[in-house]
Amino acid sequence: MGELLVPLIIGLFIIALGIMNMMGNINTLHSYHRKRVAEEDRLPFGRRIGAGTIILGASLIVKAVMQFAAEETNSPALDTIGTVILATGGLVGFIIIILAMMKYNKGLW
């Protein structure tokens, strides 16, 4: 059960950060990103960054639940499915974040 609790808490924390970003609060991001985003673009930028962040957090939670279910049911296939979901969610989330940074920051750095 302890192996489930840590990723759940981390996933929920990441989702909370994503929700804050989606509401236009980009203070959780590096100052470089806050300085380079125009005031009128803060909300759309935050929404995109937040969506990517929420996907990352949700995929971590799904992985933890699938791993726990795999251990409880002795079904390694569930763990494999969870790993695929984590990898796919991580990739999609990071792509959304990178595309938002490229659009609103005119680059990653």
Side-chain angles (χ1 to χ4, degrees), residues 8 20 27 31-32 41-42 53 57 60-61 65 83 87 93 96 109:
L8 282 177
M20 287 173 47
N27 291 330
S31 64
Y32 170 82
D41 290 336
R42 285 177 71 96
T53 305
L60 180 60
I61 291 172
V65 170
T83 301
I96 291 170
W109 333 116

Side-chain angles (χ1 to χ4, degrees), residues 56 63 67-68 84 107:
L56 290 171
K63 166 60 176 159
Q67 183 175 347
F68 179 75
V84 170

Side-chain angles (χ1 to χ4, degrees), residues 37 44-50 94-108:
V37 174
F45 175 66
R47 284 185 176 160
R48 290 185 184 182
I49 294 290
F94 278 120
I95 287 173
I96 291 170
I97 290 169
I98 287 169
L99 291 175
M101 287 180 181
M102 290 174 65
K103 178 176 181 172
Y104 294 103
N105 287 345
K106 313 300 185 261
L108 295 178

